[in-house]
């Protein structure tokens, strides 16, 4: 069985989710390549030493540049804050490494385009981890749409709502600063919704957006001395929030459908509420991550007296990915979507095919996200193609 050495760059939450996926994939999927957890890399010693022994990464490193250059590394897994993605991906591509990159791809469209161009020029396999495409229910939704069960699609409605920073004492972490995150829930969560919309409905032609800030100053975190902060931001132990707290977007798709995207980190009670609805001429679909093994389906073909939204429990052997796990009714969770992604990524390397979404999709997605930020800034509707 050919092996490929993986280098993980970033050892916090996503590092943990990716370590689990690299570890589990061969237990449940017959990939023709066996991933080796070779090097775990993080500039911070604490998360590195927490993660490396627990998941059995063979080596620990703190300098990603050294790791990416190593001839014995075949796959670079980018799981660090957004502002680091661009440089690591371009360097990894130039070194001929296959790239598994966390979302959002980059701080902006220009960076995302350079990442895609570098990966394409290098001829490496590249994947962008919008893991929710690989919820079996979401993959089933795509199957239904491709089978024509909805017919022409009129509407896409989506929301991704969280509430983890509603406490004013929550510190000014990297997610709350434009120079490290690009934008707030718009980049973090609307990126997921835009990817799902592109996967299920199609490309977006134009957007109109509004954003809001609810807390504009926060306590500096302990690592503020790390130089990650520009001096001008410090105001007596507090720093300015430089990204939005909520972003609402309206969109027109190239196929004429209308869509909406709502993201907020101030939606009290919503922990990770990612949901969408799709309305077509012959039916409708509804998904809610809090009930990720279910797909709501309405068919206009049902007889009038029997019409209504039904709930499909997406745990049959015939459903996407399910046969690899458990018998019907034995549901799966968030972490399984990462295993599905790693399995498809390894299969793409083995077969020489591309895997989606990838850095091309990342470029397309950042063009939409940047157009929405331009709309929020100017107050006008913006054509996605304006962003170059
Ligand atoms: C934080 O908002 C976060 O971890 C996102 O970054 C992930 O993409 C999402 O899956 C869960 O929430």
């Amino acid at each position: 069985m050919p092996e490929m050495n993986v280098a993980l760059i970033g050892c916090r939450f996503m590092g943990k989710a990716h370590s689990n996926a690299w570890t589990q994939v061969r237990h449940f999927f017959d990939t023709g390549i066996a991933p080796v957890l070779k090097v775990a890399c993080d500039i911070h010693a604490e998360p590195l030493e927490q993660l490396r022994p627990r998941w059995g990464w063979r080596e620990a490193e703190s300098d990603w540049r050294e790791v990416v250059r190593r001839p014995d590394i075949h796959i670079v897994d980018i799981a660090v804050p957004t502002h680091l993605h661009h440089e690591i991906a371009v360097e990894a591509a130039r070194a001929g490494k296959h790239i598994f990159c966390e979302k959002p791809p980059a701080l902006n469209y220009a960076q995302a385009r350079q990442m895609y161009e570098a990966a394409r020029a290098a001829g490496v396999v590249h994947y962008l981890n919008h893991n929710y495409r690989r919820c079996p229910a979401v993959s089933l939704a795509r199957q239904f749409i491709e089978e024509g069960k909805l017919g022409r699609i009129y509407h896409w409605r989506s929301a991704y709502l969280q509430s983890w920073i509603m406490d004013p004492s929550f510190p000014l972490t990297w997610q709350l600063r434009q120079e490290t995150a690009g934008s707030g829930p718009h980049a973090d969560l609307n990126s997921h919704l835009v990817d799902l919309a592109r996967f299920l409905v199609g490309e977006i032609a134009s957007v109109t957006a509004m954003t809001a800030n609810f807390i504009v100053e926060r306590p500096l975190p302990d690592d503020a001395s790390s130089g990650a902060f520009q001096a001008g931001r410090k105001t007596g132990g507090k720093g300015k929030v430089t990204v939005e707290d909520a972003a609402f977007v309206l969109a027109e798709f190239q196929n004429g459908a209308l869509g909406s995207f709502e993201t907020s980190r101030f939606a009290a009670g919503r922990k990770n509420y990612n949901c969408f609805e799709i309305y077509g001429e012959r039916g409708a679909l509804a998904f809610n991550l809090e009930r990720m093994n279910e797909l709501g389906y309405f068919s206009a073909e049902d007889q009038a007296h029997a019409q209504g939204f039904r709930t499909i429990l997406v745990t049959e052997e015939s459903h996407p990915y399910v046969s690899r796990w458990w018998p019907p009714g034995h549901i799966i969770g968030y972490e399984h979507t990462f295993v599905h992604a790693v399995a498809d990524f390894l299969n793409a390397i083995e077969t020489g095919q591309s895997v989606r979404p990838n850095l091309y999709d990342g470029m397309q997605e950042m063009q939409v996200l940047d157009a929405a930020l331009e709309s929020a800034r100017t107050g006008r509707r913006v054509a996605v193609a304006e962003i170059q």
Side-chain angles (χ1 to χ4, degrees):
M1 166 71 60
E3 295 183 338
M4 281 202 166
N5 292 330
V6 183
L8 172 70
I9 319 289
C11 295
R12 296 183 191 275
F13 171 15
M14 283 299 126
K16 176 178 171 182
H18 292 198
S19 297
N20 177 63
W22 293 117
T23 302
Q24 293 288 5
V25 68
R26 286 285 304 152
H27 300 323
F28 292 92
F29 290 79
D30 303 322
T31 60
I33 293 168
V36 174
L37 282 67
K38 185 75 173 174
V39 182
C41 177
D42 199 300
I43 57 170
H44 300 292
E46 188 271 331
L48 178 56
E49 275 322 304
Q50 283 289 322
L51 179 127
R52 192 199 59 73
R54 178 180 297 275
W55 291 99
W57 289 91
R58 289 155 175 64
E59 301 172 31
E61 286 293 347
S62 59
D63 179 350
W64 67 263
R65 294 175 197 284
E66 291 301 314
V67 172
V68 162
R69 287 192 194 106
R70 282 175 48 164
D72 64 336
I73 294 298
H74 308 104
I75 293 169
V76 172
D77 179 349
I78 303 171
V80 285
T82 307
H83 67 293
L84 298 170
H85 290 189
H86 169 255
E87 192 177 9
I88 296 174
V90 169
E91 287 307 308
R94 286 176 179 159
K97 315 301 184 187
H98 301 300
I99 297 164
F100 189 102
C101 185
E102 258 309 320
K103 45 54 62 185
L107 293 176
N108 53 50
Y109 171 70
Q111 284 191 347
R113 188 176 58 198
Q114 288 169 3
M115 291 162 71
Y116 167 60
E117 287 168 351
R120 185 181 57 177
V124 296
V125 172
H126 46 103
Y127 168 73
L128 181 63
N129 187 43
H130 283 296
N131 54 301
Y132 298 120
R133 285 196 188 197
R134 290 175 164 81
C135 294
V138 176
S139 294
L140 182 65
R142 166 78 178 233
Q143 205 176 296
F144 276 17
I145 291 168
E146 287 180 330
E147 289 166 1
K149 290 187 186 307
L150 266 58
R152 176 186 173 191
I153 292 176
Y154 299 124
H155 301 304
W156 161 268
R157 293 186 70 228
S158 61
Y160 201 153
L161 307 175
Q162 297 177 342
S163 52
W164 53 285
I165 59 168
M166 293 180 70
D167 179 346
S169 68
F170 186 92
L172 191 70
T173 56
W174 70 266
Q175 296 95 331
L176 304 179
R177 302 195 335 267
Q178 196 278 332
E179 68 269 23
T180 44
S183 60
H186 186 57
D188 188 19
L189 305 179
N190 252 345
S191 61
H192 277 304
L193 297 180
V194 167
D195 179 68
L196 289 172
R198 293 186 59 248
F199 180 55
L200 295 165
V201 178
E203 297 297 349
I204 293 167
S206 65
V207 289
T208 298
M210 298 176 85
T211 60
N213 257 108
F214 304 117
I215 297 176
V216 295
E217 270 194 344
R218 290 181 179 271
L220 294 179
D222 299 341
D223 67 355
S225 57
S226 69
F229 290 78
Q230 294 155 22
R233 292 185 191 287
K234 291 184 181 176
T235 52
K238 283 202 166 190
K240 291 201 180 312
V241 175
T242 53
V243 297
E244 81 292 343
D245 291 321
F248 284 21
V249 184
L250 291 177
E252 180 186 32
F253 289 80
Q254 289 178 4
N255 61 19
L258 284 184
S260 62
F261 304 76
E262 302 175 20
T263 50
S264 176
R265 289 170 171 157
F266 280 71
R270 296 300 185 190
K271 302 302 181 183
N272 195 39
Y273 185 72
N274 175 0
C275 60
F276 63 76
E277 298 165 0
I278 305 174
Y279 297 96
E281 63 184 328
R282 298 169 57 188
L285 293 166
F287 173 77
N288 169 4
L289 183 66
E290 294 179 347
R291 305 176 72 93
M292 76 166 264
N293 293 274
E294 298 175 1
L295 183 64
Y297 173 47
F298 170 83
S299 171
E301 320 280 294
D302 289 342
Q303 293 178 310
H305 68 284
Q307 281 194 359
F309 266 93
R310 69 188 84 153
T311 299
I312 301 170
L313 186 59
V314 189
T315 59
E316 297 301 316
E317 297 259 313
S318 57
H319 287 142
Y321 301 104
V322 172
S323 63
R324 292 294 173 171
W325 298 101
W326 319 119
H330 297 66
I331 56 177
I332 63 171
Y334 171 75
E335 77 278 14
H336 296 76
T337 65
F338 289 76
V339 182
H340 301 164
V342 164
D344 291 347
F345 175 74
L346 291 172
N347 286 336
I349 294 173
E350 184 190 2
T351 59
Q353 306 293 316
S354 67
V355 56
R356 306 294 291 275
N358 57 30
L359 295 180
Y360 168 78
D361 298 294
M363 177 179 69
Q364 298 292 95
E365 148 192 330
M366 288 311 303
Q367 198 176 28
V368 174
L369 294 175
D370 283 5
L373 291 176
E374 176 66 6
S375 173
R377 189 181 67 80
T378 60
R380 67 180 177 86
R381 183 169 173 176
V382 175
V384 172
E386 284 184 42
I387 303 298
Q388 290 304 321

